[in-house]
């Protein structure tokens, strides 16, 4: 009798949990956001950290900043892309085209000149376009 009661109790507790599955899949996707401007120093000091401000374009009220994707194709070259998330279950997205700023911390660990390429979008041929900045590392000796 004890097993029957425990079995019934188990069914009563577990059936509602398994029948409430309302997941229709993801309600967002990631996208790249266009950089308008970046504020980088005129020069760096070796082994120092710098906050680099990036101004990007937020196209609508359903798109939100998620972070930066930083690729390192060469030792002192950085390709920076602003990543956003777009919520797809909101049909009332207001067009904003507002400029927003975000920062990332950059640590200078190499001598020479750093080259930053900030993703701005695509041209009429579908090729990526960039804002480019070069920042020399000053010799402190």
């Amino acid at each position: 009798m004890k097993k029957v009661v425990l079995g019934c109790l188990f069914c009563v507790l577990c059936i509602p949990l398994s029948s409430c599955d309302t997941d229709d899949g993801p309600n967002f996707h990631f996208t790249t956001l266009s950089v308008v401007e970046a504020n980088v120093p005129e020069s760096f000091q070796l082994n120092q950290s710098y906050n680099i401000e990036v101004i990007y374009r937020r196209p609508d009220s359903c798109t939100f900043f998620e972070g930066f994707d930083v690729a390192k194709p060469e030792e002192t070259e950085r390709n920076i892309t602003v990543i956003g998330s777009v919520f797809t279950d909101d049909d009332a997205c207001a067009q904003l085209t507002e400029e927003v700023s975000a920062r990332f911390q950059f640590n200078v660990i190499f001598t020479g000149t750093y080259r930053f390429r900030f993703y701005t979008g695509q041209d009429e041929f579908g090729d990526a376009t960039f804002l480019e900045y070069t920042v020399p590392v000053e010799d402190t000796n």
Side-chain angles (χ1 to χ4, degrees):
M1 182 67 176
K2 198 181 218 183
K3 289 183 182 181
V4 172
V5 172
L6 286 176
C8 289
L9 183 62
F10 178 77
C11 288
V12 169
L13 292 176
C14 291
I15 289 175
L17 293 176
S18 64
S19 64
C20 292
D21 187 15
T22 60
D23 186 17
D24 295 330
N27 65 345
F28 72 96
H29 65 275
F30 292 108
T31 189
T32 56
L33 300 174
S34 297
V35 172
V36 175
E37 182 182 350
N39 294 317
V40 296
E42 290 185 22
S43 64
F44 288 140
Q45 296 285 327
L46 187 62
N47 298 319
Q48 297 295 313
S49 295
Y50 296 86
N51 284 319
I52 297 179
E53 179 185 33
V54 178
I55 300 166
Y56 65 92
R57 190 168 289 120
R58 181 179 175 214
D60 57 47
S61 62
C62 293
T63 303
F64 298 92
F65 175 78
E66 289 298 326
F68 294 98
D69 179 38
V70 180
K72 181 183 166 186
E74 298 289 332
E75 187 173 80
T76 59
E77 184 174 314
R78 302 295 184 272
N79 294 338
I80 298 112
T81 305
V82 178
I83 304 298
S85 59
V86 180
F87 289 100
T88 57
D89 59 353
D90 189 357
D91 294 332
C93 295
Q95 294 296 325
L96 297 175
T97 315
E98 70 177 339
E99 293 181 0
V100 184
S101 70
R103 296 176 187 268
F104 68 91
Q105 188 171 23
F106 183 73
N107 299 315
V108 180
I109 58 173
F110 297 108
T111 59
T113 299
Y114 279 88
R115 180 175 172 213
F116 293 92
R117 299 177 70 218
F118 294 90
Y119 179 79
T120 60
Q122 295 181 337
D123 64 14
E124 64 272 9
F125 304 108
D127 296 325
T129 58
F130 298 90
L131 284 175
E132 296 188 25
Y133 297 88
T134 55
V135 183
V137 176
E138 292 182 349
D139 187 8
T140 58
N141 292 333

